Amino acid sequence: MRKALMTLAVLTAAAMAVAAAESTGLNTLTPAETAGGWRLLFDGKTTTGWRGYRKDTCPPGWKVVDGALTRVAEAGDIITLQKFQDFDLKFDWKISKNGNSGVFYHVAEGPDLDNAYRTGPEYQLLDNLGHPDGKNGRDRWSGANYALQAPTTDTTKPVGEWNESRIVIKGPHVEHWLNGVKVVEYELWSDAWKAQVAKSKFHEMPRYGLEKTGYIALQDHEAEVAFRNIKIKVLD
């Protein structure tokens, strides 16, 4: 009887968390967003729409916790089921203390590719002051095009609070936004891009940053990280 009551309490708490998220507009679209062509990549309740990199299903280390898609245990990166080329992507995220993660785009899969970062540029997510990589340069800080372009300013919220991010891709032009501020922009595939990659830690990855389309990936980097309000608008 006691076990049954505990199970009921857990289920009730989970239902209340989902209801609270819905009542505050989390993981939903406004009528204007729907009319404008936006769609959700995460429903706030399940991992539907995501699978492990080079896997058929979403690994159990990624779970929905309080309306957020959360890395809770070792699982590997997860990717969207669909590929995207030009788009406007918005998402909220929060990182754990000393945590590290990221969002990749234009990610390819293949027998010669063992990880999403082999092809996809990364919008960095980091505890800037707590994680050791933050001391390696501002191009490792949140909002950076990881290890290539540093954010122009640090607009991150304190660790444990939610941040709002945006990635806009129109052809070769890419913008990174963090909490309402454009912090990075660059041009893919240009001579300057290729020269910069050639001098970076990615120089031994021949397909890095050259794909014209691909999956969006959320990184498992040995830390808890949570995502919500993941929504996308495909751009013509």
Side-chain angles (χ1 to χ4, degrees):
M1 181 66 175
R2 183 178 179 183
K3 184 177 181 180
L5 289 174
M6 290 179 64
T7 300
L8 179 61
V10 171
L11 292 174
T12 301
M16 290 176 64
V18 171
E22 290 178 343
S23 67
T24 56
L26 298 178
N27 304 307
T28 61
L29 296 175
T30 66
E33 286 175 327
T34 301
W38 289 87
R39 67 183 179 90
L40 292 174
L41 292 180
F42 169 57
D43 63 16
K45 304 173 185 177
T46 70
T47 59
T48 299
W50 297 86
R51 63 178 176 86
Y53 182 76
R54 293 175 58 179
K55 298 178 182 177
D56 295 328
T57 60
C58 189
W62 288 88
K63 296 185 180 298
V64 180
V65 180
D66 296 334
L69 184 55
T70 307
R71 187 275 189 194
V72 297
E74 183 176 357
D77 301 342
I78 57 174
I79 64 174
T80 52
L81 301 184
Q82 181 182 349
K83 294 180 179 181
F84 297 96
Q85 183 173 337
D86 294 351
F87 57 83
D88 191 343
L89 174 72
K90 296 179 181 180
F91 57 96
D92 298 348
W93 60 275
K94 65 176 179 178
I95 197 82
S96 58
K97 184 175 176 56
N98 303 328
N100 188 347
S101 184
V103 176
F104 303 98
Y105 66 86
H106 290 180
V107 170
E109 286 183 302
D112 58 331
L113 300 171
D114 60 356
N115 201 293
Y117 68 73
R118 296 284 179 182
T119 54
E122 178 184 358
Y123 182 115
Q124 169 77 327
L125 310 178
L126 194 77
D127 175 359
N128 293 343
L129 301 180
H131 192 279
D133 203 24
K135 298 178 175 61
N136 292 327
R138 292 176 63 93
D139 59 0
R140 267 72 167 171
W141 284 22
S142 291
N145 175 24
Y146 177 69
L148 293 171
Q149 278 90 20
T152 54
T153 184
D154 180 14
T155 60
T156 52
K157 302 287 183 65
V159 170
E161 294 187 15
W162 287 100
N163 296 269
E164 298 179 1
S165 286
R166 183 180 177 195
I167 303 172
V168 183
I169 302 177
K170 297 179 180 179
H173 185 72
V174 182
E175 298 177 0
H176 291 193
W177 293 71
L178 180 57
N179 293 320
V181 178
K182 182 169 66 174
V183 294
V184 167
E185 61 182 326
Y186 51 95
E187 303 293 322
L188 294 168
W189 320 316
S190 64
D191 290 341
W193 169 265
K194 294 175 182 177
Q196 189 174 21
V197 171
K199 296 177 182 178
S200 75
K201 62 186 297 180
F202 307 112
H203 69 278
E204 294 182 349
M205 304 176 193
R207 294 175 61 180
Y208 183 84
L210 296 180
E211 305 295 312
K212 298 295 174 39
T213 186
Y215 303 102
I216 294 168
L218 308 182
Q219 186 182 38
D220 172 2
H221 203 300
E222 303 176 356
E224 181 172 311
V225 61
F227 299 88
R228 69 183 188 187
N229 291 334
I230 311 172
K231 58 188 72 174
I232 194 167
K233 178 179 180 178
V234 173
L235 305 176
D236 294 332

